[in-house]
Amino acid sequence: MDFSRLIQFLLLFDAARVKDTLAETKLFFIVGLGRSGTAFLSHLLDKVNGIDVYHETPNDRNALIDAYRDPMMARKYLTDYRGRLIAARIIESRNPIYGEVNSYLRYHVEALEELWNPIIMHLARDGRAVVRSAMNRGTFAQADRDHSGRLEPHPNNFWYEKWPEMDRFSRVCWYWADTNQYLLKLNIPLVRFEDVISSYNEFAEQILQPLSVELSSSVWEENVRKPKNVSETQQFPAWNHWTDRQKQIFESICGDVMFKLGYTF
């Protein structure tokens, strides 16, 4: 058993220490849909001195589905397991700031706020880029065990009755729009991925300053030149090569959210 796992085991019997550790540590979570730059941003922020930054944890994958289906499961996951894991990481590292750039915790935002009152940001990326990346990664394909048959519109969602007839492309478009619409309604600070990788000043203003941390422009520039977690296959084309039908579907499903996020066609 490694040291981190030993700490987690001991914390099973010390709920007070978990609570105190989380209360004494500055916490932040940057959430959004996968393929929106979370891997890149977690890697970049992990270079900041004095903070621990993580991307995603294996158990978060199923926790995402549970929280989407039942919001009460979000709080249960954080209190039963995730809180101990975070406390163990903090105790091991002894850093004063702990953060995650984690797409799987996007349906845990309200529970995070209720339990620990951390800094939370909504990371968004242009829907056209995300849809292309998701199509190339096989999202909602028949073999996709993470999404197919597990994530679909809630009964009160406009697209619920249309879902059985929607093709894979339409479902991926819905996925991007629904996720970002949900996060927009929570009124947490919005960070657009394109902004923070195109301008160091934007990166500093939108992320470094709210977290009260520093990272040099040279480190930022070095990492921007080397993107992380890039899709290996690029068979699905970029927006300007989409069919008229695909563009029409995207605009009908995603257009309103694109406008709210500040993107234009």
Side-chain angles (χ1 to χ4, degrees):
M1 181 180 291
D2 61 35
F3 186 55
S4 179
R5 289 182 179 274
L6 176 60
I7 295 174
Q8 290 181 60
F9 175 76
L10 294 174
L11 290 177
L12 281 169
F13 308 98
D14 196 348
R17 188 176 186 191
V18 172
K19 183 178 180 180
D20 290 344
T21 299
L22 296 174
E24 294 166 359
T25 306
K26 184 176 184 176
L27 305 174
F28 72 88
F29 295 87
I30 302 176
V31 299
L33 184 63
R35 317 309 306 158
S36 296
T38 55
F40 168 82
L41 201 54
S42 64
H43 178 83
L44 178 59
L45 289 176
D46 197 42
K47 298 183 179 299
V48 175
N49 291 328
I51 71 175
D52 276 337
V53 182
Y54 290 84
H55 185 213
E56 296 160 351
T57 299
N59 287 355
D60 294 345
R61 192 182 301 266
N62 287 327
L64 165 74
I65 305 298
D66 292 339
Y68 177 73
R69 293 174 175 172
D70 181 0
M72 293 301 296
M73 293 298 293
R75 193 180 197 282
K76 185 177 188 300
Y77 180 64
L78 295 176
T79 55
D80 287 357
Y81 165 71
R82 250 344 202 93
R84 292 198 310 274
L85 173 62
I86 294 171
R89 288 170 170 174
I90 293 169
I91 292 169
E92 184 177 16
S93 72
R94 300 182 181 181
N95 282 324
I97 302 176
Y98 174 93
E100 296 187 19
V101 189
N102 190 335
S103 67
Y104 291 140
L105 294 183
R106 59 185 180 268
Y107 297 120
H108 295 72
V109 169
E110 292 175 294
L112 286 167
E113 291 178 329
E114 177 188 348
L115 290 169
W116 306 325
N117 193 32
I119 296 172
I120 303 180
M121 301 178 189
H122 168 194
L123 180 64
R125 185 184 180 193
D126 190 316
R128 291 164 292 193
V130 176
V131 168
R132 182 193 186 198
S133 181
M135 291 295 289
N136 281 316
R137 296 279 287 208
T139 303
F140 283 117
Q142 188 173 0
D144 178 12
R145 297 181 179 179
D146 292 332
H147 303 92
S148 296
R150 305 187 73 197
L151 271 174
E152 59 184 40
H154 291 301
N156 62 348
N157 188 283
F158 173 80
W159 299 100
Y160 176 73
E161 293 185 357
K162 302 177 185 294
W163 188 255
E165 287 76 40
M166 291 168 68
D167 62 14
R168 179 173 164 241
F169 176 80
S170 300
R171 292 182 176 192
V172 172
C173 290
W174 167 83
Y175 192 34
W176 178 87
D178 189 76
T179 297
N180 284 285
Q181 178 67 34
Y182 166 77
L183 292 172
L184 283 168
K185 288 181 178 178
L186 298 179
N187 292 316
I188 54 180
L190 172 66
V191 175
R192 298 198 318 177
F193 181 64
E194 295 83 1
D195 295 339
V196 299
I197 64 169
S198 62
S199 165
Y200 174 77
N201 289 336
E202 289 288 342
F203 171 69
E205 181 179 340
Q206 295 189 44
I207 295 180
L208 297 182
Q209 292 175 17
L211 300 181
S212 301
V213 298
E214 296 181 354
L215 187 72
S216 70
S217 59
S218 60
V219 173
W220 171 85
E221 185 173 358
E222 178 185 356
N223 282 266
V224 165
R225 291 177 177 176
K226 298 184 296 184
K228 304 293 179 183
N229 202 26
V230 178
S231 297
E232 295 180 2
T233 60
Q234 295 293 340
Q235 296 178 351
F236 194 83
W239 160 265
N240 57 325
H241 293 295
W242 288 6
T243 66
D244 290 341
R245 179 178 178 275
Q246 287 170 334
K247 290 181 178 180
Q248 183 181 21
I249 290 172
F250 178 85
E251 291 182 29
S252 67
I253 297 175
C254 304
D256 182 57
V257 180
M258 286 279 285
F259 176 77
K260 291 178 181 177
L261 293 172
Y263 295 109
T264 57
F265 291 99

